[in-house]
Amino acid sequence: MSGYAYAVAGALLLLGGLGIARSRDLVHSVVCLSVAQSGTFVLLLAVGYQQGAPAPVFGSTTSPNDQVVDPLVQALALTDIVVSGTVTALLLALAIQIGKQHGTVDPDELSALEG
Amino acid sequence: MSRTVRWCVLGVGLAGVAVVLGMAFGSMPDFGIDRHPYRDLAVAASVSHGTANVVSSVNFDQRGLDTLIEETILFGSVVAALALLRPSDEEHLHRPGGGRGPLEGTRAVGYLMLPLTLVVGIDVVLHGQVTPGGGFQGGIVLATGLHLLYVGGRYRSLERLRPIPLFEYTESAGVVVFAAVGLATLAGAGSFLANTLPYGTFGQLVSAGTVPLLNVAVGVAVGSGGVVLLAQFLQQLILVSTDEAERS
């Protein structure tokens, strides 16, 4: 059971990569990139997990103590999600422009270099 | 490159990555153990700075410079998407026709949820130092909450409610305020983004020094950035038409 989360993270990364390579549509590739990136979220959170420990937010239910899950990787996951979201938006904008310029979003039909 | 060759290259590459990942995961510490050296340091630093939410402390206090860079990445990609999605010379904007609009129920839920979502968004931004949340999460809630108007079929009210030029300015202002806080602390305390304000009472709304300030700056930047981004995509969907499309 211990390696389960790491296996999921690796599988997401590989499946996302497979999807990008097999993609016949640029929007589909962008979504696959998001899937691959979710692998990194799972990996980060798995690294910081501690069995039975609460979230690293102290209040009336949790007094400040050391037995919480790792906040550092959670902060990294937050950064990761923000960057992932903005990159996805940028790539979708590129896909829209490519669709307008070339009339297709199939990567296989976009082989010719221009300009 | 033919399809078969490409699959072979892909298969070899993915298998290689899988093997390397497997080796790396094999030598990692066990899942769920209680030894987290970074956790121990981060929790101690956060508590000593009066921040109840350790994740916020890490993001806005202990590694504030990284968050400034992250915010700049966000800003940069919003600007880039804005440049890419501008209507070109052959395209022009047209007003959408009347149409049937959504169901009455959808419209009612949209109206009901809009003020509620905006309040929740502001709450999430302001309480980033004491509860799970902060500028990034709350900003996204605010930006998407505003678009309940669109779900409710009121694209024109949405346009009136969010003048895009204004939101472009507020987005930049969020980034500038973050950097200005950094420079002010550099002048005052000698290090960039040092938490120099009074720490307040642990667990209270006014606590954690500069963290709430930076949270609000990020919330404004992320909220405005999200609004600007979504506006560009909606404009592509609803308003932009080419001459060809109109002729046919």
Side-chain angles (χ1 to χ4, degrees):
Chain A
M1 192 61 193
S2 70
Y4 182 61
Y6 297 143
V8 170
L12 280 173
L13 180 72
L14 294 176
L15 286 174
L18 181 70
I20 292 172
R22 286 183 56 97
S23 173
R24 306 299 304 270
D25 186 317
L26 286 177
V27 177
H28 173 261
S29 338
V30 175
V31 175
C32 289
L33 181 67
S34 297
V35 171
Q37 275 189 312
S38 356
T40 62
F41 310 154
V42 175
L43 176 61
L44 279 171
L45 296 180
V47 166
Y49 182 68
Q50 174 175 339
Q51 207 76 45
V57 180
F58 304 122
S60 50
T61 49
T62 322
S63 58
N65 67 79
D66 268 355
Q67 294 305 304
V68 291
V69 296
D70 195 339
L72 186 81
V73 288
Q74 296 202 356
L76 288 177
L78 175 62
T79 309
D80 203 351
I81 290 169
V82 172
V83 171
S84 158
T86 53
V87 166
T88 303
L90 188 57
L91 289 175
L92 286 176
L94 274 173
I96 288 179
Q97 276 304 331
I98 289 172
K100 279 186 194 167
Q101 297 294 323
H102 299 272
T104 174
V105 285
D106 185 345
D108 288 350
E109 292 172 23
L110 293 169
S111 50
L113 280 174
E114 284 183 17
Chain B
M1 205 191 309
S2 78
R3 225 145 232 287
T4 340
V5 178
R6 193 196 295 181
W7 293 147
C8 292
V9 173
L10 175 69
V12 171
L14 286 182
V17 173
V19 168
V20 174
L21 278 180
M23 283 160 58
F25 290 156
S27 56
M28 275 183 36
D30 282 340
F31 179 68
I33 55 161
D34 56 2
R35 205 179 63 84
H36 294 287
Y38 285 121
R39 183 263 321 268
D40 300 338
L41 294 170
V43 168
S46 168
V47 170
S48 74
H49 283 191
T51 316
N53 179 357
V54 188
V55 181
S56 269
S57 174
V58 171
N59 264 329
F60 296 101
D61 186 357
Q62 299 167 33
R63 43 182 284 271
L65 182 62
D66 290 359
T67 306
L68 176 61
I69 294 168
E70 176 190 359
E71 212 190 348
T72 326
I73 293 175
L74 186 124
F75 181 72
S77 59
V78 169
V79 170
L82 208 63
L84 279 172
L85 291 177
R86 254 186 355 179
S88 63
D89 291 342
E90 302 95 64
E91 300 167 333
H92 42 84
L93 303 179
H94 72 98
R95 298 278 95 202
R100 272 209 15 250
L103 292 171
E104 287 296 321
T106 315
R107 197 168 288 190
V109 169
Y111 276 134
L112 212 70
M113 293 301 287
L114 175 67
L116 214 64
T117 319
L118 293 185
V119 170
V120 168
I122 294 170
D123 182 89
V124 170
V125 172
L126 291 182
H127 288 81
Q129 66 278 19
V130 281
T131 57
F136 288 108
Q137 300 90 324
I140 290 297
V141 173
L142 286 173
T144 45
L146 203 57
H147 288 81
L148 281 170
L149 271 179
Y150 170 66
V151 176
R154 303 301 301 252
Y155 186 69
R156 284 185 194 166
S157 343
L158 177 67
E159 278 191 315
R160 275 204 297 279
L161 202 63
R162 55 141 175 72
I164 292 306
L166 175 71
F167 277 88
E168 287 167 4
Y169 282 118
T170 51
E171 197 210 354
S172 325
V175 182
V176 169
V177 166
F178 200 115
V181 170
L183 290 176
T185 54
L186 180 64
S191 61
F192 194 72
L193 285 171
N195 198 343
T196 47
L197 291 179
Y199 298 141
T201 319
F202 185 84
Q204 295 298 309
L205 179 59
V206 181
S207 63
T210 52
V211 172
L213 206 61
L214 297 176
N215 256 323
V216 171
V218 166
V220 169
V222 172
S224 318
V227 166
V228 172
L229 262 187
L230 285 171
Q232 298 310 311
F233 283 109
L234 279 180
Q235 178 178 288
Q236 289 292 323
L237 180 70
I238 298 173
L239 296 181
V240 170
S241 64
T242 59
D243 292 339
E244 282 169 42
E246 268 183 9
R247 256 182 264 129
S248 64

